[in-house]
Amino acid sequence: MTFLLFLLVAVAVAALLLARRSRSSAAPRPPGTAGLDEEVAVRPEVDPAAVAAARARISADVPDEVLSDALLDATPKQLASMLAAVPAEVMAGAVGRPTGAGAGTAQPQQASREDLASLKKVSESVDDLEIWSFGDKN
């Protein structure tokens, strides 16, 4: 009786593991950029279907090269979610298309010393975070 109960539990665990593996392998994973050295490493190819899927969800203002680079570490769905959080005027400015009154005629506004000092403090705080391991195996 104990053997039968043990066998039943083992079969249930195996079925759960198999179902979990099949679900995780069904969704394509991005190739990733871990260990890439911009100077010498060959960047992995991004699946054209992933670029097309991302393009369907993301503004046409975002260049395909940007999508391809971002798709090295994110799925099209994740990328669309991240970029959806960016305000339209910020995205337009990022891709070189300023919006709003006087777009194209006004000169970019210079940051004040206070703004630069504040940004430096934020930058230093981010550098101090302990999230920068990125999977180091040391």
Side-chain angles (χ1 to χ4, degrees):
M1 184 67 150
T2 305
F3 176 73
L4 184 59
L5 185 59
F6 177 74
L7 184 62
L8 183 61
V9 169
V11 168
V13 168
L16 286 173
L17 290 175
L18 184 61
R20 187 175 182 188
R21 180 177 288 174
S22 67
R23 261 188 274 135
S24 65
S25 65
R29 301 192 75 183
T33 55
L36 279 184
D37 179 356
E38 295 291 332
E39 298 291 326
V40 296
V42 175
R43 297 177 72 76
E45 290 292 322
V46 176
D47 182 16
V51 175
R55 174 57 60 213
R57 297 175 178 200
I58 297 171
S59 167
D61 289 340
V62 179
D64 283 346
E65 296 81 22
V66 173
L67 290 181
S68 294
D69 280 352
L71 288 170
L72 291 174
D73 286 315
T75 65
K77 185 177 180 181
Q78 292 169 330
L79 184 58
S81 175
M82 287 186 289
L83 292 180
V86 178
E89 59 274 358
V90 172
M91 182 62 75
V95 297
R97 296 186 182 139
T99 61
T105 61
Q107 294 294 324
Q109 183 179 4
Q110 294 292 321
S112 69
R113 289 182 188 213
E114 294 83 21
D115 291 340
L116 293 174
S118 176
L119 287 173
K120 184 171 179 155
K121 287 178 186 173
V122 170
S123 162
E124 290 169 354
S125 296
V126 169
D127 288 343
D128 291 341
L129 294 175
E130 294 183 14
I131 62 167
W132 302 113
S133 67
F134 297 112
D136 290 342
K137 297 182 182 186
N138 295 332

